[in-house]
Amino acid sequence: MSVSQRVALPLLPTGVPGLDAVLGGGLPEFSFNLLSGTPGAGKTTLAHQIMFANAAPARPAVYFTVMGEPPIKMLRYQQQMAFFDPAKVGESVHFVDLTSVAITQGLNAVLEQIIQQVEALNPSIVVVDSFQAITRTVVAAETSGIDLQTFTQRLAVNLTVWQATTFLVGEYLIDNVQNNPVLTVADGIIALFQSTDRNSVVRKMQVVKSRGQAQMPGLHTFRISEAGLQVYPRMSIVVDKMERTRPLQRGSTGVEGLDALVGGGIPVGDAVLVSGPSGAGKSVLSAQFIAAGAQSGEPGVIAVFEEHPKEFLRRADSLGINLTAMEQAGLLKIIYIRPLDLSPDETLAAIRTAVQEIDAKRVVIDSLTGFELALAPTFRIDFRESLYRLVGALTGTGITVLMTMEITQSSTDLTLSPYVISFLTDNIILLRYVEIAGQFKKSLVVVKMRNSNHSNDLMLYEITPHGMIVRESLDAYDAGGVDTAKLREASRRPTYPGLTADETKLLQALIELREAPAELLARRAGLPVGPQLTAALDRLVSLAYAARLDDATHTYRPVAQLLG
Amino acid sequence: MVSIANGEADSQQPMPALSEQLARRLLPPAAGETPSTDALALAAAGAYTRLRARLAVFLGEQGFDALWRRAIRLSQQGPLEAGDTARAEASPTLPPGLHGALRGSNAAEAHTRLVAAFASFIGLLFTFIGEELGMRLIAQAWPELTSGAADPQVEGAPL
């Protein structure tokens, strides 16, 4: 049958964020569905949420309770949910209890009552809760007058013909439904679980069956809050997006001297891993990356896992990076995800929401180490796979992702990360400590950078009051081990008699830049602009290390013999 | 939300609980201007039947009956006498549990006890499902409660 000849299957929205995507667009109208799960899994809440989302005076919803949770308790608890609208009760949402009918007259009478109410109210949504209790009644009663299969069949036929989308709520376990007539009749089965791992409990759901729909396979995590259920569809990577030819545009890292090392900037739409030991400056680099994006009109999102956002903002501010202003200008969103038992999909949902809100082009995950710790144990086992899907889902939409990862620096090997995750990214920058002349210095190396003629040099860098600045190469040093280096005698730096440490820094910056205004020199040297800078520059000029080219612009250059 | 406003006329008087205001409204109009004990009993039976018809639909008959019995018990002062419970009584002319309340009472006493029983029931309903939802369901059984007609028996409590 051609597509145009097929009967249309209109889809109802569930009113549950994320669930429509899992179902393949929504619930097929007039379908006969089973909501199954263990006690406390959220079946009743899910049924109520769907019911309140769809009920309207012209096509109301009817909630039949049969020997399950007492209605007075159900109403007491369900009205705590934000979706529960008391104004709809009795108008477009009707509650009917048939427990007495089931007890005194049997299932046949229950069926007749349901049909009678449906014919009278003309509902679009019908819920029968608990259908499992009905099953037990059939088994227990010798004279129920009707078997379960007949009951289910007649119920399905009548409710479908009356154009109602039906939900049977029951404590079925998927393993036990193989020979259950309800399973045969049901068009859709949504199973809810509570997955326990040590002290952690994670809610998961599975669309076991959905006739006529291309549902998302697998288990999807969900949470129940005051707002009701929120489903986090298991991330999948859209292949055509992943396989697309990615543009070779580049975005600045925001770190002076680093763009040149990575071949002109980070390829847009790529993921880059910044790996390094504690205190190496990974978060600083992250902040500069986001600030550089904001300056070029690319909003960014920072997902913070290790520290409170306020601390992140404060530290960035101390480096002259005003993330707060960017946040206020709508160029930045900082998300702090620290609930118990986090799932990767929940993280992605939060990041995606933030990305959509400000049309972000850059995302920072700081750090993968903190992210892993926040995950429920059950997800830590599949951390690599989760990360793969998370990174793929973000870069698949053209977002440039920078992830930081803390590593323990060893004297005997060069570790990029405690996990084998280098396959996740085409771009890795490794930060390391190196011991030089009795001091710990910071160095970095670009391990790999997609389609880039990147530097292989180990470079010294500093965290200055202006942020991270890449200094000179370590090529003048002999390695004495992975994290030690000795300056070769022949390459020993010249000394500049009479200069203080800050003045020497300024002179070195001037030699590197060859010609620069005072402000740029200050940034390069990592010194604050002010009277001290002016005094230092004046001294360089007075000692004939530098020449002032233009008093108006305060441009300097080193004297000729220093450059030779 | 369906609500009962505090009238200006009785602003000097302490406002009875909402459940009591409602209970007063459910009974006297059916009982007439100068009700006798029998007329009050009839009005109470009518109110009970009307409440049960609406509320038992969603609470279930068993749920409604259990709630009523609990309300009767809460409205009774002092120790129970034999047979003086909603479960023990079954009178075609009185709601369960109220036979003892009216036994030997004059009209004024009977009215007080009936109001107490119905107020107890409504209060209990509010306790479980909240005032807003409870009011809504009662108003569905008594649409005239929201019609704006003042109750002559309750001073200054216009709807």
Side-chain angles (χ1 to χ4, degrees):
Chain A
M1 190 179 280
S2 69
V3 174
S4 61
Q5 289 174 311
R6 291 175 194 160
V7 67
L9 277 183
L11 300 175
L12 294 178
T14 58
V16 178
L19 182 54
D20 291 350
V22 172
L23 287 164
L27 283 161
E29 210 175 20
F30 317 144
S31 56
F32 195 75
N33 304 283
L34 176 63
L35 304 181
S36 79
T38 50
K43 304 179 296 295
T44 300
T45 303
L46 175 59
H48 275 80
Q49 201 165 344
I50 294 171
M51 182 172 71
F52 275 95
N54 287 282
R59 292 301 308 274
V62 189
Y63 200 106
F64 292 104
T65 44
V66 189
M67 303 185 72
E69 183 183 358
I72 199 164
K73 277 177 64 185
M74 192 178 69
L75 286 171
R76 179 174 171 79
Y77 292 118
Q78 287 302 319
Q79 68 176 272
Q80 309 303 320
M81 299 292 178
F83 59 76
F84 190 101
D85 181 1
K88 285 190 171 182
V89 177
E91 303 290 338
S92 52
V93 172
H94 300 273
F95 292 91
V96 178
D97 184 71
L98 298 176
T99 304
S100 299
V101 177
I103 292 170
T104 58
Q105 300 171 56
L107 280 189
N108 227 340
V110 169
L111 185 63
E112 289 308 318
Q113 280 286 325
I114 290 175
I115 293 169
Q116 206 174 70
Q117 292 283 351
V118 166
E119 289 181 3
L121 294 168
N122 187 30
S124 63
I125 301 281
V126 171
V127 181
V128 182
D129 183 5
S130 139
F131 206 74
Q132 181 77 342
I134 290 178
T135 309
R136 290 197 197 103
T137 306
V138 170
V139 173
E142 291 179 2
T143 56
S144 62
I146 190 171
D147 63 61
L148 183 62
Q149 187 141 16
T150 308
F151 177 85
T152 310
Q153 182 67 29
R154 285 179 58 190
L155 187 68
V157 167
N158 278 281
L159 295 183
T160 304
V161 167
W162 277 89
Q163 297 179 292
T165 306
T166 304
F167 300 90
L168 309 182
V169 180
E171 295 172 2
Y172 298 98
L173 298 174
I174 289 303
D175 296 341
N176 296 335
V177 293
Q178 299 306 319
N179 298 316
N180 195 307
V182 180
L183 181 69
T184 313
V185 174
D187 300 312
I189 300 175
I190 300 176
L192 309 180
F193 308 88
Q194 292 196 80
S195 166
T196 306
D197 185 353
R198 279 170 277 181
N199 294 329
S200 151
V201 178
V202 176
R203 293 181 186 275
K204 294 180 182 177
M205 71 157 57
Q206 181 186 6
V207 179
V208 180
K209 180 182 180 183
S210 181
R211 281 192 182 126
Q213 290 298 105
Q215 81 270 25
M216 268 190 209
L219 298 175
H220 308 273
T221 53
F222 70 97
R223 274 187 191 275
I224 302 178
S225 67
E226 197 186 54
L229 273 79
Q230 162 130 27
V231 181
Y232 304 101
R234 193 162 168 269
M235 290 169 285
S236 61
I237 301 165
V238 181
V239 175
D240 58 343
K241 282 186 178 170
M242 286 305 292
E243 290 179 348
R244 79 194 197 288
T245 306
R246 287 180 286 184
L248 279 175
Q249 295 169 337
R250 293 178 183 276
S252 174
T253 60
V255 174
E256 196 173 329
L258 184 55
D259 287 350
L261 298 180
V262 298
I266 293 170
V268 169
D270 269 18
V272 57
L273 176 68
V274 177
S275 199
S278 174
K282 300 181 293 297
S283 298
V284 174
L285 199 161
S286 303
Q288 286 180 251
F289 169 74
I290 287 294
Q295 279 165 12
S296 57
E298 291 184 357
V301 170
I302 303 175
V304 187
F305 291 95
E306 283 196 357
E307 60 186 342
H308 196 276
K310 280 184 182 170
E311 180 58 25
F312 193 96
L313 290 170
R314 190 204 58 74
R315 189 146 40 82
D317 196 49
S318 72
L319 299 169
I321 306 166
N322 193 346
L323 293 180
T324 307
M326 292 174 202
E327 213 174 8
Q328 287 164 353
L331 289 166
L332 170 66
K333 272 213 172 279
I334 298 184
I335 51 179
Y336 180 58
I337 316 169
R338 290 302 295 270
L340 281 172
D341 303 331
L342 189 69
S343 79
D345 306 291
E346 194 172 348
T347 309
L348 180 66
I351 293 174
R352 269 183 171 157
T353 303
V355 163
Q356 284 165 1
E357 281 173 3
I358 59 170
D359 193 21
K361 304 294 181 206
R362 296 182 177 210
V363 167
V364 160
I365 299 173
D366 187 35
S367 68
L368 294 181
T369 321
F371 175 32
E372 191 208 5
L373 283 173
L375 289 178
T378 183
F379 297 117
R380 289 182 205 159
I381 299 163
D382 303 319
F383 183 62
R384 283 202 309 156
E385 188 242 345
S386 301
L387 207 53
Y388 170 72
R389 289 189 290 115
L390 187 143
V391 170
L394 289 172
T395 55
T397 55
I399 291 167
T400 310
V401 180
L402 187 146
M403 304 170 288
T404 67
M405 167 155 282
E406 185 166 327
I407 55 167
T408 307
Q409 186 168 327
S410 161
S411 294
T412 54
D413 58 14
L414 188 68
T415 311
L416 300 177
S417 79
Y419 316 94
V420 184
I421 58 168
S422 50
F423 73 95
L424 278 174
T425 170
D426 293 324
N427 315 294
I428 297 177
I429 298 169
L430 177 65
L431 311 182
R432 304 171 55 206
Y433 288 112
V434 62
E435 187 188 318
I436 297 176
Q439 280 192 320
F440 259 150
K441 299 277 189 182
K442 295 183 175 78
S443 72
L444 64 81
V445 64
V446 180
V447 177
K448 64 175 182 175
M449 194 64 53
R450 178 177 72 93
N451 286 335
S452 305
N453 183 21
H454 67 85
S455 165
N456 292 313
D457 290 345
L458 271 167
M459 304 294 292
L460 287 175
Y461 69 91
E462 285 181 37
I463 308 295
T464 74
H466 298 293
M468 179 184 278
I469 294 174
V470 177
R471 302 285 184 201
E472 73 269 26
S473 164
L474 278 166
D475 63 352
Y477 293 80
D478 285 328
V482 169
D483 52 9
T484 62
K486 273 187 186 169
L487 187 64
R488 281 194 288 272
E489 281 303 318
S491 303
R492 194 169 289 281
R493 280 179 177 282
T495 54
Y496 306 104
L499 298 189
T500 64
D502 283 352
E503 288 162 359
T504 303
K505 275 186 186 173
L506 266 178
L507 182 55
Q508 284 170 349
L510 190 54
I511 291 167
E512 285 165 20
L513 296 170
R514 295 193 168 241
E515 187 176 307
E519 207 166 291
L520 182 58
L521 280 172
R523 201 160 61 239
R524 181 74 174 170
L527 298 173
V529 176
Q532 282 183 323
L533 177 74
T534 308
L537 284 168
D538 286 347
R539 276 208 83 219
L540 290 181
V541 172
S542 68
L543 293 170
Y545 284 114
R548 185 179 291 115
L549 296 182
D550 184 344
D551 280 342
T553 59
H554 299 287
T555 304
Y556 297 82
R557 70 172 170 78
V559 293
Q561 66 268 26
L562 292 171
L563 294 172
Chain B
M1 176 179 167
V2 182
S3 63
I4 291 181
N6 189 359
E8 288 179 10
D10 67 343
S11 58
Q12 303 303 312
Q13 302 293 324
M15 192 67 183
L18 179 61
S19 54
E20 189 183 324
Q21 291 180 61
L22 277 170
R24 287 183 187 282
R25 293 191 174 284
L26 298 182
L27 293 170
E33 290 290 328
T34 51
S36 64
T37 304
D38 289 346
L40 276 171
L42 196 63
Y48 170 84
T49 305
R50 198 166 168 181
L51 269 180
R52 192 174 190 274
R54 174 70 191 103
L55 298 184
V57 170
F58 76 97
L59 293 179
E61 290 176 359
Q62 291 186 337
F64 180 92
D65 292 345
L67 199 67
W68 180 261
R69 287 198 298 273
R70 174 67 179 153
I72 292 299
R73 177 66 190 92
L74 288 174
S75 70
Q76 285 168 334
Q77 305 291 323
L80 291 178
E81 294 175 10
D84 199 14
T85 65
R87 188 183 289 279
E89 285 181 23
S91 167
T93 56
L94 270 179
L98 293 181
H99 187 74
L102 300 189
R103 191 187 304 131
S105 302
N106 60 34
E109 291 166 344
H111 182 260
T112 302
R113 288 173 182 174
L114 286 173
V115 165
F118 277 90
S120 175
F121 177 81
I122 293 165
L124 203 52
L125 185 69
F126 288 175
T127 299
F128 280 108
I129 65 171
E131 209 171 279
E132 184 177 3
L133 188 56
M135 274 296 290
R136 187 167 294 281
L137 293 171
I138 290 169
Q140 284 164 8
W142 261 273
E144 60 268 33
L145 278 181
T146 57
S147 67
D151 177 7
Q153 300 295 314
V154 182
E155 284 183 21
L159 295 173

